[in-house]
Amino acid sequence: PGGRGGGGGGGGRQHSGIVARKRSLWEKFFDADWEQKTAFHSAHHAHLAARTQLYMRNDGDIPFIMYLVQRGIIECPGSDELTCLQLLMLRFVCQDVQAAAETEKMEKLASRSMAIDCSYLLYAVNRCAAQETQGENMGHSGAISAVNLIEFNAKIDQTRKCHREAVSNMVNFWKIMAKATTKRPLLEPQVEEAIAQLEQFDSHKEQANTGYKWLHDRYPNSIAVLLSYAQFCDTVTNDSSQAERMRLEAQNLEGEDRGEDGEIEDGMPQELRDANRPPDKANSQHSSESDTIRSSIARWGLTWQDTVMSGAAQEIEKIHKAVIIALILLLIISTVTFVVLDRVLFSSVAVKNIHRIDSTSKLSSSMLAIADLVRSSHVAAHFNDTDSMSTYAADIRWLADAMREEHTLDYEQATGHTRDFFTSAQKPIWAIDGDKWSERDLSYWEVINEVVRRSLSVAEVTMGDMQDPDYTPGRIGTSKQNVAFIFENLFRNVLPQIEDVVLRYRREVGQFSGTASLVSDVNLSFNGIVICAIAFYVLRAIAIIVDSMQSKYVTTLCALSMPPQTKSKISKFYDKIERSLASIEGDEQWIDVEVEAME
């Protein structure tokens, strides 16, 4: 078998396969020297010789091994083993995929009945070759895994379906728009159908764009993805610069995948390749003109885009300003309410009353301490303990002075009903008048001052007076009368009045709590009313301008305002794209390795 020159594998030569041809009866009868001219006695002998030489692992023997295999095919034309061995040699040793495919086609192996081991070998070779082809289509060198293959096919089929649906939505939309004339306007169902097509177009465009981006990130060297993405950018998203970048990247990858004979081996559908064919000089000029037209249309759109929804924009600005003003008002009211609660009610009323409750309660403890010190003075006098009596007297004077200061401060800060309680007569007290006890009506202010005055007098009592157990009115001195006054009135008349003052302070604190709750409730109610008013105003305004804010509404009006010739041209443009996509997917389906391998 002769070889043809070229750049194939295996020692710099490109080998071609041969097809087994059985000798006719005439050749068998008249060729008496055939057995002397044969090199092998049987196909098994030829197969064994070729494999023995192949396992020497010398790439310089490849032409000779191919000669052995093809000589065996000529001498033993019915051997399936030699036919399969020739295909393996061409595809994996000589690395001539095209020659292997041509030989397989000429041998008609797909419809030929073969032994089970040869059939499985042929299936495995075809499957490996198909996976290599699909791997090149995905941008990978060599075979790929079944999981990646399924992932790639499923994602690209889903993305192309969304691509096709987006174009179909544009076709349907412009067909509806082309029906509208000045004499025959569109009916309401037709307008709703047009808007529905735009909504579906946005959804399908977003899904296709997301799918193409995912495929491009995952398989950046896939020519099929690049060309499909370029067509999508050019016809759906109207991004000609992005489409041109994708095409240029695909052309660079195609240049790397071309063989020396100029044929491309990536298995791409011809329609898709024609749709993204590299432009020649005339096409380059046409592309430049298209870009110029796109730029002109974009500049023209920029000149009037501000007037399309100017009214709606102004209404939105008004609503925005009104909402800001209302929120500022809410902030001011809330701040003022907080200041009133904190500075006026809490600091001026609650804190002050709490301090007064504490200071008034100290009066009770001070008076009890004075009574205890007077009793201790009696005990010290009984034991003639002069030092202890002096200490007790000093403590009594200190407590009395502290009571005077606290009581004066309470009186000065008392307000309202508490101030009236300080100045009005309360429970009467008993005092020695001559030789008997008599009642005296004094105010709370006067009672505490009287207790303080008499406590200071008690601190001056002598030891002799304390040692005298006689407390009969008329026969005791002034200091001892003050001792009798303290013990007579402290628990019955003075301490109850102090507790009444503490109770009044607590009532004022409770009133403050109610006032604070009322202010908080009023503030909360007012804020709720203002928020409801804002919501009502916003919803009412949006209900008026919501229709003019819809981009679908504006797009439909823009399309209806176009001349009939323009709408017809746009409709034909998208119809042509849809037919192109249908021809790619209908006449020559996208590569499906699994189906191809099973066949």
Side-chain angles (χ1 to χ4, degrees):
R4 58 183 179 180
R13 301 182 59 189
Q14 183 170 350
H15 299 273
S16 60
I18 64 171
V19 180
R21 186 180 66 84
K22 292 184 178 181
R23 298 170 66 234
S24 63
L25 291 176
W26 190 88
E27 290 175 336
K28 291 180 180 179
F29 181 78
F30 289 101
D31 193 358
D33 298 333
W34 172 255
E35 294 184 358
Q36 286 76 18
K37 293 187 294 183
T38 58
F40 305 105
H41 298 294
S42 63
H44 180 70
H45 186 198
H47 187 269
L48 181 60
R51 281 189 173 273
T52 302
Q53 190 65 33
L54 180 63
Y55 278 108
M56 298 299 292
R57 290 180 173 85
N58 187 0
D59 57 355
D61 294 339
I62 292 177
F64 177 65
I65 297 172
M66 285 298 300
Y67 169 78
L68 294 178
V69 174
Q70 294 179 353
R71 181 61 183 267
I73 292 174
I74 294 173
E75 295 179 0
C76 307
S79 174
D80 293 337
E81 292 182 350
L82 291 175
T83 302
C84 292
L85 182 58
Q86 179 184 222
L87 291 178
L88 291 174
M89 290 289 297
L90 289 173
R91 183 176 294 276
F92 298 109
V93 179
C94 299
Q95 299 180 0
D96 195 342
V97 179
Q98 184 179 0
E102 292 175 355
T103 303
E104 182 180 356
K105 185 176 182 181
M106 289 187 295
E107 288 281 3
K108 299 179 181 179
L109 297 180
S111 59
R112 181 173 168 179
S113 178
M114 305 175 65
I116 187 65
D117 55 343
C118 294
S119 298
Y120 181 77
L121 178 63
L122 182 63
Y123 165 76
V125 170
N126 289 335
R127 183 180 179 86
C128 182
Q131 286 188 343
E132 287 183 355
T133 302
Q134 186 65 11
E136 294 175 357
N137 192 31
M138 293 169 57
H140 293 276
S141 59
I144 59 173
S145 64
V147 175
N148 290 335
L149 177 62
I150 294 173
E151 179 188 49
F152 177 80
N153 285 336
K155 191 64 177 182
I156 198 170
D157 287 343
Q158 179 184 4
T159 304
R160 282 170 172 164
K161 180 180 179 182
C162 294
H163 180 180
R164 186 177 64 255
E165 292 294 334
V167 175
S168 299
N169 294 139
M170 280 290 97
V171 172
N172 296 334
F173 174 79
W174 285 107
K175 282 182 179 179
I176 296 174
M177 293 297 103
K179 296 178 182 178
T181 61
T182 56
K183 296 181 180 179
R184 189 181 60 183
L186 293 179
L187 300 177
E188 183 176 354
Q190 293 175 313
V191 175
E192 293 178 354
E193 176 63 21
I195 295 177
Q197 291 294 332
L198 290 178
E199 292 176 351
Q200 295 176 11
F201 169 78
D202 287 341
S203 177
H204 291 141
K205 182 185 72 172
E206 184 64 26
Q207 294 177 12
N209 191 31
T210 303
Y212 279 128
K213 286 182 178 179
W214 185 88
L215 287 168
H216 184 257
D217 294 338
R218 188 70 179 270
Y219 307 101
N221 296 326
S222 174
I223 298 176
V225 172
L226 290 173
L227 294 181
S228 297
Y229 198 7
Q231 191 179 24
F232 174 78
C233 293
D234 198 20
T235 58
V236 178
T237 62
N238 199 27
D239 191 352
S240 59
S241 59
Q242 178 71 7
E244 191 63 27
R245 287 194 297 269
M246 292 294 172
R247 289 195 185 97
L248 182 60
E249 189 174 349
Q251 292 170 22
N252 294 334
L253 293 175
E254 281 182 357
E256 298 176 0
D257 294 338
R258 289 178 182 272
E260 292 188 3
D261 57 353
E263 297 184 5
I264 303 175
E265 302 172 356
D266 59 355
M268 285 295 300
Q270 188 62 32
E271 288 81 357
L272 183 59
R273 191 175 303 284
D274 292 339
N276 295 276
R277 185 180 299 278
D280 52 15
K281 183 175 181 181
N283 290 335
S284 299
Q285 183 177 0
H286 177 71
S287 178
S288 300
E289 292 177 356
S290 300
D291 292 340
T292 303
I293 293 173
R294 290 175 186 266
S295 301
S296 301
I297 294 175
R299 288 194 298 270
W300 176 71
L302 291 174
T303 58
W304 55 269
Q305 67 175 0
D306 295 334
T307 62
V308 173
M309 300 177 64
S310 59
Q314 292 176 1
E315 292 294 332
I316 290 296
E317 289 293 334
K318 291 181 180 178
I319 295 175
H320 186 236
K321 292 180 180 178
V323 170
I324 290 177
I325 293 174
L327 292 177
I328 293 175
L329 179 62
L330 279 178
L331 180 61
I332 294 174
I333 293 175
S334 301
T335 304
V336 171
T337 304
F338 175 77
V339 170
V340 170
L341 287 174
D342 180 66
R343 299 295 182 182
V344 178
L345 295 179
F346 183 75
S347 299
S348 301
V349 178
V351 176
K352 182 183 69 176
N353 287 349
I354 291 173
H355 287 312
R356 299 282 64 79
I357 290 173
D358 180 64
S359 63
T360 305
S361 299
K362 289 180 179 179
L363 290 178
S364 300
S365 60
S366 298
M367 288 186 178
L368 292 174
I370 290 174
D372 182 69
L373 291 173
V374 172
R375 175 184 173 281
S376 299
S377 297
H378 274 286
V379 175
H382 178 72
F383 290 99
N384 295 319
D385 190 352
T386 306
D387 295 336
S388 296
M389 284 194 64
S390 301
T391 303
Y392 297 150
D395 292 340
I396 291 173
R397 283 192 291 270
W398 179 82
L399 289 172
D401 293 336
M403 287 175 58
R404 177 185 288 114
E405 293 178 359
E406 290 290 341
H407 186 56
T408 303
L409 185 60
D410 290 344
Y411 177 77
E412 292 175 350
Q413 295 185 355
T415 57
H417 296 289
T418 306
R419 185 61 175 266
D420 295 337
F421 183 85
F422 268 80
T423 57
S424 61
Q426 303 298 327
K427 193 173 183 180
I429 62 174
W430 292 87
I432 297 176
D433 186 11
D435 56 354
K436 63 179 181 178
W437 290 92
S438 61
E439 290 183 351
R440 297 177 60 183
D441 293 331
L442 300 177
S443 65
Y444 175 72
W445 163 254
E446 294 172 340
V447 167
I448 301 301
N449 288 332
E450 185 70 14
V451 171
V452 171
R453 183 180 67 80
R454 291 179 180 269
S455 297
L456 293 174
S457 177
V458 168
E460 304 299 330
V461 68
T462 62
M463 183 177 292
D465 292 338
M466 284 295 187
Q467 290 176 347
D468 185 7
D470 186 10
Y471 277 90
T472 303
R475 291 188 301 185
I476 57 178
T478 303
S479 298
K480 203 167 183 178
Q481 290 180 4
N482 293 331
V483 173
F485 175 86
I486 291 176
F487 283 112
E488 181 68 22
N489 294 285
L490 179 62
F491 292 98
R492 287 197 303 174
N493 301 322
V494 179
L495 291 181
Q497 294 190 39
I498 295 176
E499 295 299 325
D500 288 342
V501 174
V502 172
L503 180 61
R504 290 179 179 275
Y505 282 134
R506 289 176 178 174
R507 288 175 181 174
E508 289 187 3
V509 173
Q511 292 176 357
F512 160 76
S513 176
T515 303
S517 299
L518 178 63
V519 173
S520 299
D521 293 340
V522 171
N523 184 35
L524 180 62
S525 301
F526 181 78
N527 291 343
I529 293 173
V530 174
I531 291 173
C532 292
I534 294 174
F536 174 77
Y537 177 73
V538 171
L539 294 176
R540 179 175 174 274
I542 290 179
I544 297 174
I545 65 174
V546 66
D547 292 334
S548 59
M549 292 172 59
Q550 297 295 320
S551 60
K552 312 295 185 303
Y553 175 84
V554 176
T555 304
T556 305
L557 290 181
C558 181
L560 289 173
S561 64
M562 290 182 178
Q565 298 83 359
T566 303
K567 292 186 287 186
S568 177
K569 289 182 180 180
I570 296 176
S571 178
K572 291 179 180 179
F573 170 75
Y574 282 108
D575 188 60
K576 180 180 178 181
I577 296 174
E578 185 182 31
R579 288 199 305 270
S580 175
L581 293 175
S583 65
I584 293 174
E585 296 191 1
D587 299 338
E588 191 169 351
Q589 293 288 338
W590 302 105
I591 306 287
D592 192 342
V593 174
E594 294 299 327
V595 176
E596 200 173 56
M598 291 300 296
E599 293 177 353

